[in-house]
Amino acid sequence: MPLNFAFWGGIHPTAAPLLKTIALDPLEMFGHILLIIGVPFVLGIWCAHRFPNWTARFKKPVRILSFLALIAFIVGAIAGNWRYFLDYVGLVLLAVVIHDALAFGTGYAIARAAGLPDYDRRAVSIEVGIRNAGLGLVIIFSFFGGLGGMAVVAGVWGFWDIIAGLILAGWWARRPLQGGVPGIEKP
């Protein structure tokens, strides 16, 4: 991310001067990403392996709790930057909707070009199309002081990802898989 930020910021004339005042420590950012994504992932795998009955029992409540925590985090980010939200929500939403449509479509098209079955194409499309808004907000608040415009973009993105993901999943749920589900024989 620091390299990406430096590259894209460096080629934009109005953003280039900001790079002199913004310093991103790659190790600190790696630590944040590890804590937000890596540790919960490893703990989840470990719990599922070590305590399968307990994991099965608490899977749904933990899923609901994590979803509510994400929503609260997004709402907090937008509420803290309400003026930016009101000023730019239309433009940000348009950009987010177009970007998501391109990301979902690109994921599906590349999976199809790679010869993956429909089941896997759908999974790749969702994986490419949905970003981690919670991680984005943590990075924005940790490294950019909650810079208003950035927080609004990540917050709107988080809400739209949920809506777009549900719409796409609902649409696919009404359409049978081409070739069936892997590992299940057709009757």
Side-chain angles (χ1 to χ4, degrees), residues 72-146:
F73 194 39
I74 292 170
V75 167
I78 290 175
N81 296 285
W82 190 246
R83 184 74 248 156
Y84 289 108
F85 177 76
L86 292 176
D87 290 344
Y88 298 104
V89 68
L91 182 61
V92 170
L93 186 58
L94 176 65
V96 166
V97 168
I98 291 169
H99 187 276
D100 266 9
L102 289 171
F104 285 128
T106 300
Y108 192 87
I110 289 173
R112 185 176 186 153
L116 296 177
D118 193 37
Y119 183 83
D120 293 332
R121 284 183 255 167
R122 293 177 183 195
V124 170
S125 178
I126 292 289
E127 189 63 34
V128 171
I130 295 182
R131 270 115 355 251
N132 192 328
L135 175 62
L137 287 168
V138 166
I139 289 172
I140 290 164
F141 285 106
S142 298
F143 294 95
F144 301 102

Side-chain angles (χ1 to χ4, degrees), residues 33 53 57 89 116 154 166:
I33 293 169
N53 293 336
R57 195 168 118 210
V89 68
L116 296 177
L166 289 172

Side-chain angles (χ1 to χ4, degrees), residues 8-28:
W8 292 108
I11 62 174
H12 193 277
T14 59
L18 286 174
L19 293 178
K20 292 177 178 48
T21 61
I22 297 172
L24 296 177
D25 180 1
L27 290 177
E28 187 180 354

Side-chain angles (χ1 to χ4, degrees), residues 14-81:
T14 59
L18 286 174
L19 293 178
K20 292 177 178 48
T21 61
I22 297 172
L24 296 177
D25 180 1
L27 290 177
E28 187 180 354
M29 187 171 289
F30 177 76
H32 279 75
I33 293 169
L34 186 66
L35 282 173
I36 294 166
I37 295 176
V39 171
F41 178 76
V42 170
L43 282 175
I45 298 293
W46 180 77
C47 284
H49 177 73
R50 184 83 169 98
F51 308 106
N53 293 336
W54 183 85
T55 303
R57 195 168 118 210
F58 286 99
K59 190 176 190 176
K60 186 175 182 179
V62 168
R63 185 180 300 145
I64 292 169
L65 180 65
S66 64
F67 180 74
L68 292 175
L70 173 63
I71 295 295
F73 194 39
I74 292 170
V75 167
I78 290 175
N81 296 285

